[in-house]
Amino acid sequence: GIAGKDALNLARARALKTATSEPVSNFLGQLDTERVNAVIYISAPTPGNLATLRAQEAATSHVTTALRAALTSGSTLSNAPPAVRQASATLLHDAAGLPALHASIGAHAIGRAQAMATYDKLINDSYLLLNQVILTETSTPIAAQALALERIAKSGELLQQENVLVVSDLAGRQFPVPDRQQFTKLVGARTTLYDQTLPELDPSYRAMYQGAVSPAAYAGLAALENTVIAGHHPRFPPPVSPAEWGRAVQGVS
């Protein structure tokens, strides 16, 4: 009886993971890009920047439809624990607000800080759902590794938040003191999370990360982050070339 019950729980946990992880990851990927395009448009509302944003909004809408279908598909979530169902409902509620957010940005009715906060909540709630799904895993070692991998992904999300500040200030040709302070905080949080989590990974996973992100790419990013932090001119953009910064972020993220 017990073995059969365990097998059923394991099968449910795996089904839940399969049903949620890909649609949520796809959603996160498109949102990352949309958030950058949105803040660039808010900072520099040119027709070209609007066209880029509108094209990306269409791509995000496409994966949002797939996300909604996955998270409302009968069997998978009906067997899920209440915490997973709650996290799923929260994310779907957030996602339902995207059209209104798009309209506000297009109408210049929302500032950069508010737009960023809205995107950050969507992304955080996506990670919270993934987190709850991981916690249904019945194998403790697998769950521990999955949670560590998720923390590495969160350090990547902090890098995306750094990127949002830099690219929007490059577009807006300024680097206000609060942005520099926020950027400095994000860099500290990102490096701490990454440095603490990397040793927790199994050697095989750790080797995979260190293979994918070369020490040179990581060092190059850190050097540029330090250059940005050292730039003391609120009325000038961050002191990095957009192309070089973009390559560094891409190389690590």
Side-chain angles (χ1 to χ4, degrees), residues 78-99:
S78 60
N79 286 323
V84 172
R85 289 206 297 271
Q86 179 57 58
S88 171
T90 300
L91 180 54
L92 287 174
H93 180 266
D94 290 350
L98 274 169

Side-chain angles (χ1 to χ4, degrees), residues 207-229:
M208 187 175 79
Y209 263 97
Q210 288 167 324
V213 179
S214 74
Y218 203 79
L221 172 68
L224 284 179
E225 286 172 332
N226 291 336
T227 303
V228 172
I229 289 167

Side-chain angles (χ1 to χ4, degrees), residues 159-160 163 213 217 221 244-253:
L159 174 56
Q160 293 300 332
N163 185 43
V213 179
L221 172 68
E244 195 185 4
W245 170 259
R247 276 195 303 273
V249 170
Q250 196 62 41
V252 173
S253 67

Side-chain angles (χ1 to χ4, degrees), residues 44-225:
T46 66
N49 287 343
L50 180 61
T52 304
L53 174 59
R54 288 291 183 243
Q56 180 54 45
E57 287 171 354
T60 306
S61 296
H62 187 69
V63 293
T64 306
T65 303
L67 177 77
R68 191 173 294 109
L71 296 186
T72 52
S73 79
S75 59
T76 313
L77 281 160
S78 60
N79 286 323
V84 172
R85 289 206 297 271
Q86 179 57 58
S88 171
T90 300
L91 180 54
L92 287 174
H93 180 266
D94 290 350
L98 274 169
L101 175 65
H102 296 161
S104 299
I105 293 169
H108 308 287
I110 188 173
R112 189 189 66 164
Q114 198 186 343
M116 276 165 60
T118 308
Y119 283 112
D120 293 352
K121 183 178 190 310
L122 268 160
I123 289 166
N124 273 329
D125 286 343
S126 300
Y127 278 111
L128 283 174
L129 173 58
L130 290 175
N131 212 28
Q132 291 298 343
V133 171
I134 289 166
L135 294 175
T136 64
E137 172 59 64
T138 48
S139 155
T140 305
I142 290 176
Q145 283 303 296
L147 289 168
L149 287 165
E150 196 213 2
R151 282 197 296 281
I152 292 272
K154 285 298 284 280
S155 92
E157 157 58 13
L158 292 170
L159 174 56
Q160 293 300 332
Q161 291 181 27
E162 290 174 35
N163 185 43
V164 163
L165 285 171
V166 171
V167 297
S168 61
D169 282 339
L170 285 168
R173 314 288 306 154
Q174 55 166 3
F175 194 33
V177 172
D179 284 9
R180 185 168 152 265
Q181 290 167 339
Q182 176 67 7
F183 181 85
T184 307
K185 248 170 59 179
L186 286 166
V187 171
R190 178 188 74 69
T191 47
T192 302
L193 190 57
Y194 190 84
D195 294 345
Q196 283 176 348
T197 308
L198 207 57
E200 294 175 18
L201 293 178
D202 278 349
S204 60
Y205 287 137
R206 194 159 60 240
M208 187 175 79
Y209 263 97
Q210 288 167 324
V213 179
S214 74
Y218 203 79
L221 172 68
L224 284 179
E225 286 172 332

